[in-house]
Tab-separated table of all heavy atoms in Angstrom:
chain	number	residue	atom	x	y	z
A	1	PHE	N	-21.465	4.659	1.864
A	1	PHE	CA	-20.666	5.853	1.797
A	1	PHE	C	-20.641	6.640	3.284
A	1	PHE	O	-19.925	7.698	3.378
A	1	PHE	CB	-21.467	6.921	0.862
A	1	PHE	CG	-20.857	6.798	-0.499
A	1	PHE	CD1	-21.623	6.424	-1.534
A	1	PHE	CD2	-19.524	7.336	-0.798
A	1	PHE	CE1	-21.057	6.349	-2.964
A	1	PHE	CE2	-18.986	7.323	-2.106
A	1	PHE	CZ	-19.793	6.802	-3.207
A	2	ASP	N	-21.202	5.928	4.241
A	2	ASP	CA	-21.392	6.609	5.517
A	2	ASP	C	-20.215	6.493	6.460
A	2	ASP	O	-20.231	5.716	7.415
A	2	ASP	CB	-22.724	6.157	6.254
A	2	ASP	CG	-22.962	6.897	7.496
A	2	ASP	OD1	-22.625	8.126	7.551
A	2	ASP	OD2	-23.635	6.396	8.365
A	3	PHE	N	-19.061	7.097	6.079
A	3	PHE	CA	-17.837	7.139	6.752
A	3	PHE	C	-17.032	8.284	6.405
A	3	PHE	O	-17.223	9.070	5.392
A	3	PHE	CB	-17.022	5.771	6.483
A	3	PHE	CG	-16.565	5.696	5.044
A	3	PHE	CD1	-15.332	6.104	4.707
A	3	PHE	CD2	-17.441	5.129	4.030
A	3	PHE	CE1	-14.784	6.009	3.405
A	3	PHE	CE2	-16.926	5.012	2.757
A	3	PHE	CZ	-15.793	5.421	2.352
A	4	THR	N	-16.049	8.550	7.265
A	4	THR	CA	-15.157	9.727	6.988
A	4	THR	C	-13.949	9.120	6.231
A	4	THR	O	-13.357	8.268	6.584
A	4	THR	CB	-14.648	10.341	8.282
A	4	THR	OG1	-15.737	10.818	9.027
A	4	THR	CG2	-13.641	11.424	8.182
A	5	GLN	N	-13.706	9.866	5.115
A	5	GLN	CA	-12.495	9.409	4.174
A	5	GLN	C	-11.533	10.362	4.205
A	5	GLN	O	-11.764	11.593	3.834
A	5	GLN	CB	-13.047	9.094	2.795
A	5	GLN	CG	-12.147	8.594	1.788
A	5	GLN	CD	-11.523	7.296	2.083
A	5	GLN	OE1	-12.141	6.305	1.854
A	5	GLN	NE2	-10.310	7.384	2.719
A	6	SER	N	-10.234	10.031	4.342
A	6	SER	CA	-9.134	10.999	4.468
A	6	SER	C	-8.310	10.539	3.169
A	6	SER	O	-8.166	9.407	2.819
A	6	SER	CB	-8.307	10.812	5.707
A	6	SER	OG	-7.078	11.526	5.670
A	7	SER	N	-7.583	11.631	2.673
A	7	SER	CA	-6.613	11.401	1.638
A	7	SER	C	-5.264	11.243	2.387
A	7	SER	O	-5.151	11.351	3.570
A	7	SER	CB	-6.498	12.612	0.749
A	7	SER	OG	-5.979	13.725	1.376
A	8	VAL	N	-4.218	10.752	1.645
A	8	VAL	CA	-2.901	10.729	2.031
A	8	VAL	C	-2.387	12.153	2.259
A	8	VAL	O	-2.417	12.996	1.460
A	8	VAL	CB	-1.944	10.029	1.092
A	8	VAL	CG1	-0.525	9.810	1.645
A	8	VAL	CG2	-2.663	8.509	0.877
A	9	PRO	N	-1.749	12.447	3.455
A	9	PRO	CA	-1.375	13.780	3.725
A	9	PRO	C	-0.114	14.193	2.962
A	9	PRO	O	0.816	13.340	2.557
A	9	PRO	CB	-1.194	13.753	5.204
A	9	PRO	CG	-0.756	12.381	5.428
A	9	PRO	CD	-1.543	11.606	4.607
A	10	GLN	N	-0.001	15.494	2.610
A	10	GLN	CA	1.149	16.086	2.147
A	10	GLN	C	1.820	16.784	3.171
A	10	GLN	O	1.296	17.809	3.784
A	10	GLN	CB	0.806	17.031	0.997
A	10	GLN	CG	1.977	17.608	0.401
A	10	GLN	CD	1.580	18.795	-0.789
A	10	GLN	OE1	0.748	19.528	-0.530
A	10	GLN	NE2	2.321	18.600	-1.955
A	11	LYS	N	3.134	16.488	3.369
A	11	LYS	CA	3.846	17.078	4.694
A	11	LYS	C	4.679	18.263	4.076
A	11	LYS	O	5.471	18.091	3.107
A	11	LYS	CB	4.787	16.031	5.286
A	11	LYS	CG	5.479	16.505	6.512
A	11	LYS	CD	6.417	15.570	7.091
A	11	LYS	CE	7.140	15.915	8.317
A	11	LYS	NZ	7.990	14.981	8.897
A	12	ARG	N	4.544	19.317	4.731
A	12	ARG	CA	5.222	20.614	4.449
A	12	ARG	C	5.741	21.194	5.726
A	12	ARG	O	5.031	21.844	6.454
A	12	ARG	CB	4.392	21.576	3.689
A	12	ARG	CG	3.870	21.155	2.219
A	12	ARG	CD	5.137	20.835	1.345
A	12	ARG	NE	4.728	20.756	-0.081
A	12	ARG	CZ	5.498	20.224	-0.974
A	12	ARG	NH1	6.629	19.519	-0.613
A	12	ARG	NH2	5.122	20.236	-2.189
A	13	GLY	N	7.035	21.029	6.062
A	13	GLY	CA	7.474	21.459	7.309
A	13	GLY	C	6.774	20.638	8.416
A	13	GLY	O	6.845	19.404	8.398
A	14	ASP	N	6.277	21.359	9.353
A	14	ASP	CA	5.555	20.674	10.403
A	14	ASP	C	4.114	20.697	10.174
A	14	ASP	O	3.239	20.147	11.052
A	14	ASP	CB	5.783	21.358	11.699
A	14	ASP	CG	7.277	21.282	12.203
A	14	ASP	OD1	7.827	20.164	12.014
A	14	ASP	OD2	7.728	22.138	12.975
A	15	ARG	N	3.623	21.051	8.957
A	15	ARG	CA	2.261	21.009	8.649
A	15	ARG	C	1.880	19.787	7.713
A	15	ARG	O	2.703	19.487	6.856
A	15	ARG	CB	1.829	22.322	7.969
A	15	ARG	CG	1.821	23.508	8.886
A	15	ARG	CD	1.513	24.791	8.104
A	15	ARG	NE	1.207	25.785	9.008
A	15	ARG	CZ	1.168	27.156	8.799
A	15	ARG	NH1	1.484	27.637	7.619
A	15	ARG	NH2	0.785	28.084	9.748
A	16	TYR	N	0.732	19.265	7.939
A	16	TYR	CA	0.150	18.138	7.208
A	16	TYR	C	-1.087	18.586	6.475
A	16	TYR	O	-2.044	18.844	7.199
A	16	TYR	CB	0.010	16.902	8.093
A	16	TYR	CG	1.386	16.387	8.695
A	16	TYR	CD1	1.870	17.114	9.790
A	16	TYR	CD2	1.967	15.303	8.291
A	16	TYR	CE1	3.110	16.599	10.316
A	16	TYR	CE2	3.104	14.733	8.782
A	16	TYR	CZ	3.727	15.429	9.746
A	16	TYR	OH	4.878	14.968	10.366
A	17	PHE	N	-1.164	18.455	5.238
A	17	PHE	CA	-2.276	18.902	4.435
A	17	PHE	C	-2.969	17.615	3.971
A	17	PHE	O	-2.342	16.763	3.385
A	17	PHE	CB	-1.920	19.839	3.328
A	17	PHE	CG	-1.403	21.140	3.698
A	17	PHE	CD1	0.118	21.267	4.028
A	17	PHE	CD2	-2.050	22.215	3.843
A	17	PHE	CE1	0.643	22.367	4.325
A	17	PHE	CE2	-1.531	23.449	4.315
A	17	PHE	CZ	-0.145	23.469	4.505
A	18	HIS	N	-4.306	17.596	4.071
A	18	HIS	CA	-5.033	16.437	3.593
A	18	HIS	C	-6.559	16.770	3.261
A	18	HIS	O	-6.927	17.810	3.944
A	18	HIS	CB	-5.002	15.244	4.458
A	18	HIS	CG	-5.561	15.468	5.718
A	18	HIS	ND1	-6.675	14.842	6.158
A	18	HIS	CD2	-5.071	16.081	6.922
A	18	HIS	CE1	-6.937	15.258	7.413
A	18	HIS	NE2	-5.923	16.004	7.848
A	19	THR	N	-7.149	16.090	2.606
A	19	THR	CA	-8.653	16.275	2.422
A	19	THR	C	-9.338	15.222	3.268
A	19	THR	O	-8.948	14.107	3.575
A	19	THR	CB	-9.245	16.031	0.972
A	19	THR	OG1	-8.816	14.701	0.495
A	19	THR	CG2	-8.381	17.040	0.100
A	20	LEU	N	-10.714	15.633	3.629
A	20	LEU	CA	-11.508	14.840	4.453
A	20	LEU	C	-12.971	14.938	3.764
A	20	LEU	O	-13.355	16.151	3.657
A	20	LEU	CB	-11.583	15.275	5.843
A	20	LEU	CG	-10.597	14.789	6.911
A	20	LEU	CD1	-10.870	15.366	8.335
A	20	LEU	CD2	-10.574	13.171	6.950
A	21	ARG	N	-13.643	13.952	3.623
A	21	ARG	CA	-15.112	14.013	3.335
A	21	ARG	C	-15.774	13.307	4.463
A	21	ARG	O	-15.697	12.030	4.664
A	21	ARG	CB	-15.395	13.383	2.018
A	21	ARG	CG	-16.783	13.627	1.581
A	21	ARG	CD	-17.126	12.713	0.259
A	21	ARG	NE	-17.268	11.240	0.669
A	21	ARG	CZ	-18.222	10.644	1.483
A	21	ARG	NH1	-19.233	11.286	1.838
A	21	ARG	NH2	-17.998	9.346	1.702
A	22	LEU	N	-16.541	14.042	5.135
A	22	LEU	CA	-17.339	13.522	6.213
A	22	LEU	C	-18.651	12.924	5.729
A	22	LEU	O	-19.120	13.325	4.534
A	22	LEU	CB	-17.619	14.669	7.252
A	22	LEU	CG	-16.366	15.383	7.790
A	22	LEU	CD1	-16.878	16.483	8.754
A	22	LEU	CD2	-15.512	14.386	8.507
A	23	PRO	N	-19.230	12.171	6.573
A	23	PRO	CA	-20.474	11.551	5.987
A	23	PRO	C	-21.577	12.533	5.680
A	23	PRO	O	-21.804	13.588	6.266
A	23	PRO	CB	-21.032	10.610	7.294
A	23	PRO	CG	-19.766	10.305	8.095
A	23	PRO	CD	-18.832	11.584	7.875
A	24	GLY	N	-22.159	12.334	4.518
A	24	GLY	CA	-23.194	13.133	3.949
A	24	GLY	C	-22.661	14.402	3.194
A	24	GLY	O	-23.521	15.072	2.623
A	25	GLN	N	-21.470	14.680	3.286
A	25	GLN	CA	-20.943	15.880	2.555
A	25	GLN	C	-20.821	15.579	1.011
A	25	GLN	O	-20.398	14.546	0.739
A	25	GLN	CB	-19.609	16.237	3.116
A	25	GLN	CG	-19.663	16.925	4.470
A	25	GLN	CD	-18.328	17.422	4.965
A	25	GLN	OE1	-17.298	17.049	4.458
A	25	GLN	NE2	-18.420	18.367	5.944
A	26	GLN	N	-21.161	16.629	0.245
A	26	GLN	CA	-21.088	16.387	-1.239
A	26	GLN	C	-19.671	16.368	-1.729
A	26	GLN	O	-19.389	15.580	-2.684
A	26	GLN	CB	-21.824	17.628	-1.917
A	26	GLN	CG	-23.251	17.719	-1.473
A	26	GLN	CD	-24.075	16.597	-1.854
A	26	GLN	OE1	-23.903	15.976	-2.937
A	26	GLN	NE2	-24.941	16.034	-1.043
A	27	GLN	N	-18.840	17.156	-1.055
A	27	GLN	CA	-17.354	17.241	-1.623
A	27	GLN	C	-16.451	17.097	-0.383
A	27	GLN	O	-16.769	17.493	0.743
A	27	GLN	CB	-17.176	18.647	-2.257
A	27	GLN	CG	-18.061	18.877	-3.524
A	27	GLN	CD	-17.780	18.018	-4.767
A	27	GLN	OE1	-16.748	17.303	-4.716
A	27	GLN	NE2	-18.561	18.115	-5.765
A	28	ALA	N	-15.327	16.657	-0.779
A	28	ALA	CA	-14.238	16.626	0.220
A	28	ALA	C	-13.625	18.102	0.647
A	28	ALA	O	-13.749	18.920	-0.286
A	28	ALA	CB	-13.013	15.821	-0.190
């Protein structure tokens, strides 16, 4: 589990929204 996991981004205008779970974090 020791890696950074990104979700697929949602593009809204010039903004890109996505989740990240960094190593050791309980939640994204």
Side-chain angles (χ1 to χ4, degrees):
F1 268 113
D2 189 27
F3 63 94
T4 298
Q5 180 66 75
S6 174
S7 69
V8 178
Q10 180 185 49
K11 183 180 180 182
R12 295 301 198 197
D14 292 327
R15 286 176 168 165
Y16 296 75
F17 297 85
H18 64 101
T19 62
L20 278 178
R21 190 193 61 79
L22 303 179
Q25 287 183 340
Q26 299 299 318
Q27 302 285 353

